[in-house]
C-alpha cells in the first residue's frame, strides 16, 4: 500500500520535465553544431561523436555496474548534452583517446561521484575540459584553421584572437590588436588569418540564435547570460579606455568561449543560483572573473574557470539570496 504525502500549499504545476529541457537545450545547440561542421568538417564530427558516445556509455556503465541501479538515466538527454558541451569545448583536432578520458572525468567525477543528475556541484562538461586543459595543455591549445574539412589530426593550426590579445598585453604592443578579425568576422565565426578556437565557440551568431530559442521556450531566463555579457562589455570597455593595449569590448564578448559559456554552461540548472537576484550576482561575478583571468591570468581564456569558481559559490548565493516566502510573516512578540 503506497503512502500519499501532501505538502503545504501553495502547489505549483507545470509541464516542464528533465527530458523536455535537456532536449530543448540540445535543439538550441543545433545552429552551433552546423557551423562547426561547416568550418571543421571531419574533425568536428569525430570529436563530437566520440564525446557524446563516451559520455552516454560511461553514465550507463557507472549507473549499472558501480552504483548498481536498475534504471539508467541515459534516456533523459543529460548525458548527451554533457557530451555535446564537452565536445564544443575541445579543439577539432583532439585525439580520440584524450576525448574519452575527458568524458570519463566529466561523467565519472563531475556527475556520478556526487550521485548523478541534480546533485553535482560543478558543471560536468566544464570540469572535464578543465581536467584536460591541465593534463594535456599542448593538445588542448592547438587550434586548426577553418576550411580543412577532410583533415583531422594533421590539420594546420594558427593563433586565435584570444592568443593575439594576450600577446598584446604581455608585450605592451597595442598595434598587435590590428591583427584581430573584424567584429563581423567574429560574429560569423570566420578568421581569415588564424585558428578559430574550440568547436562550439566559433560563431557568436549561432550561439545567440540558441539563446533566443531557449528564451522563447522558457528553458532559461535572461538573468545569467545578459549579466555576464554586459559585465564583460563594461569592464573590458573601461580597461580599453584606460589603456588601448586591452582589446575593445566587442572583441572581448565575441571571442573565445564567452558566448558559449554565458548561454549554455553558466545557465546549467543544477550549478547556478535559483533566484533571479542570485543569478544576477552569479553572472556579474563570472563576467568580472573572466576579464581578470583573460587579461592578467596565465591562460588566454578565463570563462571556464570563472564558471567553475562561481559553481562553488552557488550554495552560498542560494543561502543568502532567498525567494520571498508565501503567506504571512510571523511577528516576534
Amino acid at each position: 500500500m503506497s503512502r500519499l504525502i501532501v505538502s503545504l500549499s501553495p502547489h505549483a504545476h507545470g509541464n516542464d520535465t528533465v527530458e523536455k529541457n535537456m532536449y530543448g537545450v540540445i535543439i538550441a545547440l543545433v545552429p552551433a553544431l552546423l557551423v562547426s561542421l561547416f568550418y571543421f568538417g571531419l574533425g568536428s564530427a569525430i570529436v563530437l561523436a566520440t564525446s557524446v558516445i563516451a559520455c552516454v556509455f560511461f553514465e550507463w556503465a557507472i549507473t549499472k555496474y558501480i552504483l548498481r541501479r536498475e534504471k539508467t538515466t541515459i534516456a533523459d538527454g543529460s548525458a548527451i548534452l554533457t557530451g555535446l558541451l564537452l565536445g564544443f569545448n575541445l579543439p577539432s583536432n583532439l585525439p580520440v583517446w584524450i576525448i574519452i578520458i575527458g568524458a570519463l572525468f566529466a561523467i565519472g567525477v563531475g556527475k556520478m561521484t556526487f550521485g548523478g543528475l541534480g546533485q553535482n556541484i560543478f558543471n560536468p562538461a566544464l570540469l572535464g575540459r578543465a581536467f584536460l586543459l591541465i593534463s594535456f595543455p599542448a593538445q588542448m591549445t592547438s587550434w586548426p584553421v577553418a576550411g580543412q574539412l577532410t583533415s583531422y589530426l594533421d590539420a594546420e593550426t594558427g593563433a586565435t584572437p584570444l592568443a593575439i590579445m594576450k600577446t598584446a598585453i604581455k608585450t605592451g604592443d597595442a598595434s598587435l590588436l590590428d591583427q584581430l578579425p573584424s567584429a563581423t568576422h567574429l560574429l560569423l565565426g570566420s578568421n581569415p588569418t588564424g585558428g578559430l578556437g574550440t568547436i562550439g565557440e566559433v560563431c557568436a551568431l549561432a550561439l545567440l540564435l540558441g539563446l533566443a530559442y531557449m528564451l522563447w521556450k522558457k528553458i532559461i531566463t535572461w538573468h545569467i547570460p545578459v549579466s555576464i555579457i554586459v559585465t564583460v562589455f563594461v569592464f573590458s570597455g573601461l580597461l580599453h579606455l584606460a589603456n588601448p593595449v586591452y582589446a575593445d569590448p566587442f572583441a572581448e564578448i565575441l571571442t573565445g568561449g564567452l558566448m558559449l559559456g554565458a548561454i549554455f554552461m553558466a545557465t546549467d540548472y543544477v550549478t547556478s543560483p535559483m533566484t533571479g537576484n542570485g543569478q544576477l550576482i552569479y553572472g556579474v561575478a563570472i563576467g568580472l572573473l573572466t576579464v581578470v583571468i583573460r587579461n592578467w591570468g596565465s591562460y588566454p581564456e578565463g570563462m571556464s574557470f570563472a564558471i567553475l569558481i562561481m559553481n562553488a559559490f552557488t550554495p552560498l548565493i542560494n543561502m543568502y539570496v532567498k525567494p520571498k516566502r508565501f503567506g504571512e510573516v510571523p511577528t516576534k512578540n
Side-chain angles (χ1 to χ4, degrees), residues 268-299:
D268 175 38
Y269 294 139
V270 182
T271 58
S272 60
M274 295 182 294
T275 64
N277 288 337
Q279 290 171 2
L280 290 174
I281 295 171
Y282 175 80
V284 170
I286 289 174
L288 290 173
L289 284 171
T290 299
V291 176
V292 168
I293 296 172
R294 278 186 174 187
N295 290 296
W296 297 293
S298 299
Y299 290 104

PDB file of all heavy atoms in Angstrom, residues 268-299:
ATOM      1  N   ASP A 268      23.375  26.265 -16.518  1.00  0.00           N
ATOM      2  CA  ASP A 268      23.058  24.918 -16.051  1.00  0.00           C
ATOM      3  C   ASP A 268      22.199  24.992 -14.788  1.00  0.00           C
ATOM      4  O   ASP A 268      22.556  25.666 -13.817  1.00  0.00           O
ATOM      5  CB  ASP A 268      24.363  24.162 -15.768  1.00  0.00           C
ATOM      6  CG  ASP A 268      24.134  22.796 -15.162  1.00  0.00           C
ATOM      7  OD1 ASP A 268      23.172  22.133 -15.562  1.00  0.00           O
ATOM      8  OD2 ASP A 268      24.921  22.390 -14.280  1.00  0.00           O
ATOM      9  N   TYR A 269      21.059  24.311 -14.797  1.00  0.00           N
ATOM     10  CA  TYR A 269      20.113  24.395 -13.686  1.00  0.00           C
ATOM     11  C   TYR A 269      20.730  24.018 -12.342  1.00  0.00           C
ATOM     12  O   TYR A 269      20.508  24.668 -11.329  1.00  0.00           O
ATOM     13  CB  TYR A 269      18.917  23.455 -13.925  1.00  0.00           C
ATOM     14  CG  TYR A 269      18.037  23.823 -15.081  1.00  0.00           C
ATOM     15  CD1 TYR A 269      17.534  22.832 -15.926  1.00  0.00           C
ATOM     16  CD2 TYR A 269      17.696  25.139 -15.344  1.00  0.00           C
ATOM     17  CE1 TYR A 269      16.707  23.142 -16.992  1.00  0.00           C
ATOM     18  CE2 TYR A 269      16.877  25.465 -16.405  1.00  0.00           C
ATOM     19  CZ  TYR A 269      16.385  24.464 -17.224  1.00  0.00           C
ATOM     20  OH  TYR A 269      15.569  24.794 -18.283  1.00  0.00           O
ATOM     21  N   VAL A 270      21.486  22.934 -12.339  1.00  0.00           N
ATOM     22  CA  VAL A 270      21.966  22.361 -11.084  1.00  0.00           C
ATOM     23  C   VAL A 270      23.017  23.235 -10.421  1.00  0.00           C
ATOM     24  O   VAL A 270      23.044  23.372  -9.197  1.00  0.00           O
ATOM     25  CB  VAL A 270      22.527  20.945 -11.321  1.00  0.00           C
ATOM     26  CG1 VAL A 270      22.999  20.317 -10.003  1.00  0.00           C
ATOM     27  CG2 VAL A 270      21.493  20.058 -11.994  1.00  0.00           C
ATOM     28  N   THR A 271      23.879  23.836 -11.216  1.00  0.00           N
ATOM     29  CA  THR A 271      25.049  24.525 -10.668  1.00  0.00           C
ATOM     30  C   THR A 271      24.917  26.043 -10.636  1.00  0.00           C
ATOM     31  O   THR A 271      25.880  26.733 -10.330  1.00  0.00           O
ATOM     32  CB  THR A 271      26.302  24.146 -11.482  1.00  0.00           C
ATOM     33  OG1 THR A 271      26.094  24.488 -12.868  1.00  0.00           O
ATOM     34  CG2 THR A 271      26.574  22.650 -11.387  1.00  0.00           C
ATOM     35  N   SER A 272      23.736  26.578 -10.945  1.00  0.00           N
ATOM     36  CA  SER A 272      23.529  28.025 -10.909  1.00  0.00           C
ATOM     37  C   SER A 272      22.476  28.364  -9.857  1.00  0.00           C
ATOM     38  O   SER A 272      21.669  27.514  -9.479  1.00  0.00           O
ATOM     39  CB  SER A 272      23.084  28.539 -12.285  1.00  0.00           C
ATOM     40  OG  SER A 272      21.861  27.930 -12.679  1.00  0.00           O
ATOM     41  N   PRO A 273      22.461  29.603  -9.368  1.00  0.00           N
ATOM     42  CA  PRO A 273      21.501  30.001  -8.331  1.00  0.00           C
ATOM     43  C   PRO A 273      20.044  29.871  -8.777  1.00  0.00           C
ATOM     44  O   PRO A 273      19.739  29.914  -9.971  1.00  0.00           O
ATOM     45  CB  PRO A 273      21.868  31.460  -8.054  1.00  0.00           C
ATOM     46  CG  PRO A 273      23.290  31.573  -8.461  1.00  0.00           C
ATOM     47  CD  PRO A 273      23.441  30.672  -9.647  1.00  0.00           C
ATOM     48  N   MET A 274      19.148  29.778  -7.797  1.00  0.00           N
ATOM     49  CA  MET A 274      17.741  29.536  -8.086  1.00  0.00           C
ATOM     50  C   MET A 274      16.954  30.816  -8.351  1.00  0.00           C
ATOM     51  O   MET A 274      15.999  30.808  -9.120  1.00  0.00           O
ATOM     52  CB  MET A 274      17.103  28.789  -6.911  1.00  0.00           C
ATOM     53  CG  MET A 274      17.656  27.399  -6.693  1.00  0.00           C
ATOM     54  SD  MET A 274      16.823  26.535  -5.332  1.00  0.00           S
ATOM     55  CE  MET A 274      17.342  27.537  -3.928  1.00  0.00           C
ATOM     56  N   THR A 275      17.333  31.918  -7.711  1.00  0.00           N
ATOM     57  CA  THR A 275      16.549  33.148  -7.826  1.00  0.00           C
ATOM     58  C   THR A 275      17.113  34.090  -8.876  1.00  0.00           C
ATOM     59  O   THR A 275      18.298  34.006  -9.236  1.00  0.00           O
ATOM     60  CB  THR A 275      16.512  33.878  -6.480  1.00  0.00           C
ATOM     61  OG1 THR A 275      17.838  34.295  -6.134  1.00  0.00           O
ATOM     62  CG2 THR A 275      15.972  32.975  -5.376  1.00  0.00           C
ATOM     63  N   GLY A 276      16.268  35.002  -9.338  1.00  0.00           N
ATOM     64  CA  GLY A 276      16.721  35.979 -10.322  1.00  0.00           C
ATOM     65  C   GLY A 276      17.828  36.867  -9.801  1.00  0.00           C
ATOM     66  O   GLY A 276      18.823  37.113 -10.492  1.00  0.00           O
ATOM     67  N   ASN A 277      17.683  37.374  -8.579  1.00  0.00           N
ATOM     68  CA  ASN A 277      18.724  38.227  -7.995  1.00  0.00           C
ATOM     69  C   ASN A 277      20.019  37.440  -7.787  1.00  0.00           C
ATOM     70  O   ASN A 277      21.114  37.963  -8.003  1.00  0.00           O
ATOM     71  CB  ASN A 277      18.247  38.809  -6.667  1.00  0.00           C
ATOM     72  CG  ASN A 277      17.186  39.875  -6.845  1.00  0.00           C
ATOM     73  OD1 ASN A 277      17.097  40.493  -7.906  1.00  0.00           O
ATOM     74  ND2 ASN A 277      16.373  40.088  -5.826  1.00  0.00           N
ATOM     75  N   GLY A 278      19.883  36.197  -7.361  1.00  0.00           N
ATOM     76  CA  GLY A 278      21.066  35.356  -7.197  1.00  0.00           C
ATOM     77  C   GLY A 278      21.771  35.116  -8.514  1.00  0.00           C
ATOM     78  O   GLY A 278      23.003  35.104  -8.592  1.00  0.00           O
ATOM     79  N   GLN A 279      20.995  34.930  -9.578  1.00  0.00           N
ATOM     80  CA  GLN A 279      21.574  34.721 -10.900  1.00  0.00           C
ATOM     81  C   GLN A 279      22.299  35.965 -11.410  1.00  0.00           C
ATOM     82  O   GLN A 279      23.324  35.867 -12.099  1.00  0.00           O
ATOM     83  CB  GLN A 279      20.483  34.295 -11.872  1.00  0.00           C
ATOM     84  CG  GLN A 279      19.948  32.900 -11.606  1.00  0.00           C
ATOM     85  CD  GLN A 279      18.730  32.563 -12.440  1.00  0.00           C
ATOM     86  OE1 GLN A 279      18.277  33.359 -13.274  1.00  0.00           O
ATOM     87  NE2 GLN A 279      18.166  31.376 -12.223  1.00  0.00           N
ATOM     88  N   LEU A 280      21.781  37.138 -11.078  1.00  0.00           N
ATOM     89  CA  LEU A 280      22.455  38.372 -11.466  1.00  0.00           C
ATOM     90  C   LEU A 280      23.803  38.509 -10.761  1.00  0.00           C
ATOM     91  O   LEU A 280      24.811  38.890 -11.379  1.00  0.00           O
ATOM     92  CB  LEU A 280      21.575  39.583 -11.155  1.00  0.00           C
ATOM     93  CG  LEU A 280      20.321  39.755 -12.023  1.00  0.00           C
ATOM     94  CD1 LEU A 280      19.472  40.907 -11.520  1.00  0.00           C
ATOM     95  CD2 LEU A 280      20.699  39.968 -13.488  1.00  0.00           C
ATOM     96  N   ILE A 281      23.827  38.213  -9.463  1.00  0.00           N
ATOM     97  CA  ILE A 281      25.098  38.239  -8.715  1.00  0.00           C
ATOM     98  C   ILE A 281      26.079  37.245  -9.308  1.00  0.00           C
ATOM     99  O   ILE A 281      27.257  37.550  -9.531  1.00  0.00           O
ATOM    100  CB  ILE A 281      24.839  37.925  -7.228  1.00  0.00           C
ATOM    101  CG1 ILE A 281      23.986  39.022  -6.594  1.00  0.00           C
ATOM    102  CG2 ILE A 281      26.154  37.759  -6.467  1.00  0.00           C
ATOM    103  CD1 ILE A 281      23.495  38.684  -5.197  1.00  0.00           C
ATOM    104  N   TYR A 282      25.596  36.062  -9.573  1.00  0.00           N
ATOM    105  CA  TYR A 282      26.391  34.973 -10.173  1.00  0.00           C
ATOM    106  C   TYR A 282      26.954  35.399 -11.529  1.00  0.00           C
ATOM    107  O   TYR A 282      28.147  35.226 -11.812  1.00  0.00           O
ATOM    108  CB  TYR A 282      25.459  33.774 -10.292  1.00  0.00           C
ATOM    109  CG  TYR A 282      25.971  32.534 -10.978  1.00  0.00           C
ATOM    110  CD1 TYR A 282      26.793  31.628 -10.313  1.00  0.00           C
ATOM    111  CD2 TYR A 282      25.548  32.222 -12.268  1.00  0.00           C
ATOM    112  CE1 TYR A 282      27.199  30.459 -10.926  1.00  0.00           C
ATOM    113  CE2 TYR A 282      25.953  31.052 -12.891  1.00  0.00           C
ATOM    114  CZ  TYR A 282      26.774  30.166 -12.220  1.00  0.00           C
ATOM    115  OH  TYR A 282      27.177  29.001 -12.836  1.00  0.00           O
ATOM    116  N   GLY A 283      26.113  35.979 -12.375  1.00  0.00           N
ATOM    117  CA  GLY A 283      26.551  36.382 -13.704  1.00  0.00           C
ATOM    118  C   GLY A 283      27.561  37.514 -13.679  1.00  0.00           C
ATOM    119  O   GLY A 283      28.552  37.487 -14.428  1.00  0.00           O
ATOM    120  N   VAL A 284      27.328  38.516 -12.837  1.00  0.00           N
ATOM    121  CA  VAL A 284      28.282  39.623 -12.726  1.00  0.00           C
ATOM    122  C   VAL A 284      29.634  39.117 -12.244  1.00  0.00           C
ATOM    123  O   VAL A 284      30.687  39.525 -12.764  1.00  0.00           O
ATOM    124  CB  VAL A 284      27.729  40.708 -11.770  1.00  0.00           C
ATOM    125  CG1 VAL A 284      28.807  41.736 -11.446  1.00  0.00           C
ATOM    126  CG2 VAL A 284      26.518  41.398 -12.393  1.00  0.00           C
ATOM    127  N   ALA A 285      29.634  38.224 -11.266  1.00  0.00           N
ATOM    128  CA  ALA A 285      30.893  37.672 -10.752  1.00  0.00           C
ATOM    129  C   ALA A 285      31.631  36.878 -11.826  1.00  0.00           C
ATOM    130  O   ALA A 285      32.860  36.979 -11.955  1.00  0.00           O
ATOM    131  CB  ALA A 285      30.621  36.793  -9.530  1.00  0.00           C
ATOM    132  N   ILE A 286      30.901  36.097 -12.608  1.00  0.00           N
ATOM    133  CA  ILE A 286      31.533  35.348 -13.701  1.00  0.00           C
ATOM    134  C   ILE A 286      32.145  36.302 -14.720  1.00  0.00           C
ATOM    135  O   ILE A 286      33.269  36.089 -15.205  1.00  0.00           O
ATOM    136  CB  ILE A 286      30.504  34.414 -14.379  1.00  0.00           C
ATOM    137  CG1 ILE A 286      30.149  33.249 -13.454  1.00  0.00           C
ATOM    138  CG2 ILE A 286      31.055  33.871 -15.702  1.00  0.00           C
ATOM    139  CD1 ILE A 286      29.039  32.352 -13.985  1.00  0.00           C
ATOM    140  N   GLY A 287      31.411  37.355 -15.070  1.00  0.00           N
ATOM    141  CA  GLY A 287      31.943  38.328 -16.024  1.00  0.00           C
ATOM    142  C   GLY A 287      33.210  38.993 -15.539  1.00  0.00           C
ATOM    143  O   GLY A 287      34.183  39.134 -16.288  1.00  0.00           O
ATOM    144  N   LEU A 288      33.227  39.416 -14.272  1.00  0.00           N
ATOM    145  CA  LEU A 288      34.422  40.053 -13.708  1.00  0.00           C
ATOM    146  C   LEU A 288      35.601  39.083 -13.675  1.00  0.00           C
ATOM    147  O   LEU A 288      36.726  39.449 -14.056  1.00  0.00           O
ATOM    148  CB  LEU A 288      34.112  40.557 -12.295  1.00  0.00           C
ATOM    149  CG  LEU A 288      33.152  41.746 -12.186  1.00  0.00           C
ATOM    150  CD1 LEU A 288      32.817  42.012 -10.734  1.00  0.00           C
ATOM    151  CD2 LEU A 288      33.742  42.992 -12.844  1.00  0.00           C
ATOM    152  N   LEU A 289      35.362  37.857 -13.221  1.00  0.00           N
ATOM    153  CA  LEU A 289      36.441  36.863 -13.153  1.00  0.00           C
ATOM    154  C   LEU A 289      36.986  36.542 -14.544  1.00  0.00           C
ATOM    155  O   LEU A 289      38.190  36.356 -14.718  1.00  0.00           O
ATOM    156  CB  LEU A 289      35.929  35.586 -12.487  1.00  0.00           C
ATOM    157  CG  LEU A 289      35.761  35.633 -10.966  1.00  0.00           C
ATOM    158  CD1 LEU A 289      35.036  34.392 -10.473  1.00  0.00           C
ATOM    159  CD2 LEU A 289      37.122  35.753 -10.282  1.00  0.00           C
ATOM    160  N   THR A 290      36.098  36.470 -15.521  1.00  0.00           N
ATOM    161  CA  THR A 290      36.529  36.166 -16.894  1.00  0.00           C
ATOM    162  C   THR A 290      37.498  37.228 -17.410  1.00  0.00           C
ATOM    163  O   THR A 290      38.555  36.912 -17.975  1.00  0.00           O
ATOM    164  CB  THR A 290      35.312  36.068 -17.827  1.00  0.00           C
ATOM    165  OG1 THR A 290      34.461  35.016 -17.385  1.00  0.00           O
ATOM    166  CG2 THR A 290      35.759  35.782 -19.261  1.00  0.00           C
ATOM    167  N   VAL A 291      37.154  38.493 -17.228  1.00  0.00           N
ATOM    168  CA  VAL A 291      38.020  39.581 -17.694  1.00  0.00           C
ATOM    169  C   VAL A 291      39.344  39.580 -16.930  1.00  0.00           C
ATOM    170  O   VAL A 291      40.412  39.774 -17.518  1.00  0.00           O
ATOM    171  CB  VAL A 291      37.306  40.939 -17.543  1.00  0.00           C
ATOM    172  CG1 VAL A 291      38.242  42.079 -17.941  1.00  0.00           C
ATOM    173  CG2 VAL A 291      36.056  40.980 -18.405  1.00  0.00           C
ATOM    174  N   VAL A 292      39.293  39.342 -15.628  1.00  0.00           N
ATOM    175  CA  VAL A 292      40.516  39.317 -14.819  1.00  0.00           C
ATOM    176  C   VAL A 292      41.448  38.199 -15.282  1.00  0.00           C
ATOM    177  O   VAL A 292      42.660  38.411 -15.489  1.00  0.00           O
ATOM    178  CB  VAL A 292      40.164  39.137 -13.322  1.00  0.00           C
ATOM    179  CG1 VAL A 292      41.418  38.815 -12.513  1.00  0.00           C
ATOM    180  CG2 VAL A 292      39.510  40.399 -12.785  1.00  0.00           C
ATOM    181  N   ILE A 293      40.908  36.993 -15.462  1.00  0.00           N
ATOM    182  CA  ILE A 293      41.744  35.857 -15.875  1.00  0.00           C
ATOM    183  C   ILE A 293      42.274  36.068 -17.288  1.00  0.00           C
ATOM    184  O   ILE A 293      43.445  35.785 -17.573  1.00  0.00           O
ATOM    185  CB  ILE A 293      40.953  34.542 -15.776  1.00  0.00           C
ATOM    186  CG1 ILE A 293      40.567  34.260 -14.322  1.00  0.00           C
ATOM    187  CG2 ILE A 293      41.776  33.374 -16.328  1.00  0.00           C
ATOM    188  CD1 ILE A 293      39.615  33.093 -14.147  1.00  0.00           C
ATOM    189  N   ARG A 294      41.423  36.553 -18.180  1.00  0.00           N
ATOM    190  CA  ARG A 294      41.870  36.771 -19.564  1.00  0.00           C
ATOM    191  C   ARG A 294      43.020  37.768 -19.641  1.00  0.00           C
ATOM    192  O   ARG A 294      43.969  37.571 -20.404  1.00  0.00           O
ATOM    193  CB  ARG A 294      40.700  37.288 -20.412  1.00  0.00           C
ATOM    194  CG  ARG A 294      39.754  36.233 -20.925  1.00  0.00           C
ATOM    195  CD  ARG A 294      38.737  36.853 -21.872  1.00  0.00           C
ATOM    196  NE  ARG A 294      37.896  35.838 -22.499  1.00  0.00           N
ATOM    197  CZ  ARG A 294      37.027  36.097 -23.465  1.00  0.00           C
ATOM    198  NH1 ARG A 294      36.882  37.338 -23.894  1.00  0.00           N
ATOM    199  NH2 ARG A 294      36.305  35.136 -23.993  1.00  0.00           N
ATOM    200  N   ASN A 295      42.933  38.841 -18.869  1.00  0.00           N
ATOM    201  CA  ASN A 295      43.908  39.920 -19.011  1.00  0.00           C
ATOM    202  C   ASN A 295      45.133  39.765 -18.117  1.00  0.00           C
ATOM    203  O   ASN A 295      46.215  40.235 -18.476  1.00  0.00           O
ATOM    204  CB  ASN A 295      43.233  41.266 -18.736  1.00  0.00           C
ATOM    205  CG  ASN A 295      42.262  41.652 -19.836  1.00  0.00           C
ATOM    206  OD1 ASN A 295      42.643  41.868 -20.971  1.00  0.00           O
ATOM    207  ND2 ASN A 295      40.984  41.717 -19.502  1.00  0.00           N
ATOM    208  N   TRP A 296      44.969  39.123 -16.954  1.00  0.00           N
ATOM    209  CA  TRP A 296      46.097  39.047 -16.028  1.00  0.00           C
ATOM    210  C   TRP A 296      46.457  37.622 -15.593  1.00  0.00           C
ATOM    211  O   TRP A 296      47.392  37.432 -14.834  1.00  0.00           O
ATOM    212  CB  TRP A 296      45.807  39.898 -14.786  1.00  0.00           C
ATOM    213  CG  TRP A 296      45.649  41.339 -15.132  1.00  0.00           C
ATOM    214  CD1 TRP A 296      46.619  42.182 -15.606  1.00  0.00           C
ATOM    215  CD2 TRP A 296      44.456  42.119 -15.061  1.00  0.00           C
ATOM    216  NE1 TRP A 296      46.100  43.437 -15.828  1.00  0.00           N
ATOM    217  CE2 TRP A 296      44.764  43.435 -15.491  1.00  0.00           C
ATOM    218  CE3 TRP A 296      43.151  41.858 -14.656  1.00  0.00           C
ATOM    219  CZ2 TRP A 296      43.833  44.455 -15.541  1.00  0.00           C
ATOM    220  CZ3 TRP A 296      42.190  42.869 -14.711  1.00  0.00           C
ATOM    221  CH2 TRP A 296      42.543  44.156 -15.148  1.00  0.00           C
ATOM    222  N   GLY A 297      45.707  36.630 -16.054  1.00  0.00           N
ATOM    223  CA  GLY A 297      45.997  35.248 -15.708  1.00  0.00           C
ATOM    224  C   GLY A 297      46.967  34.609 -16.686  1.00  0.00           C
ATOM    225  O   GLY A 297      47.400  35.222 -17.663  1.00  0.00           O
ATOM    226  N   SER A 298      47.287  33.357 -16.436  1.00  0.00           N
ATOM    227  CA  SER A 298      48.225  32.625 -17.293  1.00  0.00           C
ATOM    228  C   SER A 298      47.586  32.151 -18.589  1.00  0.00           C
ATOM    229  O   SER A 298      48.261  32.010 -19.606  1.00  0.00           O
ATOM    230  CB  SER A 298      48.791  31.415 -16.531  1.00  0.00           C
ATOM    231  OG  SER A 298      49.496  31.825 -15.383  1.00  0.00           O
ATOM    232  N   TYR A 299      46.272  31.885 -18.556  1.00  0.00           N
ATOM    233  CA  TYR A 299      45.581  31.378 -19.737  1.00  0.00           C
ATOM    234  C   TYR A 299      44.920  32.521 -20.509  1.00  0.00           C
ATOM    235  O   TYR A 299      44.429  33.482 -19.901  1.00  0.00           O
ATOM    236  CB  TYR A 299      44.503  30.367 -19.336  1.00  0.00           C
ATOM    237  CG  TYR A 299      45.049  29.056 -18.821  1.00  0.00           C
ATOM    238  CD1 TYR A 299      45.030  28.768 -17.456  1.00  0.00           C
ATOM    239  CD2 TYR A 299      45.573  28.094 -19.683  1.00  0.00           C
ATOM    240  CE1 TYR A 299      45.520  27.563 -16.973  1.00  0.00           C
ATOM    241  CE2 TYR A 299      46.067  26.895 -19.213  1.00  0.00           C
ATOM    242  CZ  TYR A 299      46.034  26.631 -17.854  1.00  0.00           C
ATOM    243  OH  TYR A 299      46.519  25.445 -17.382  1.00  0.00           O
TER     244      TYR A 299
END
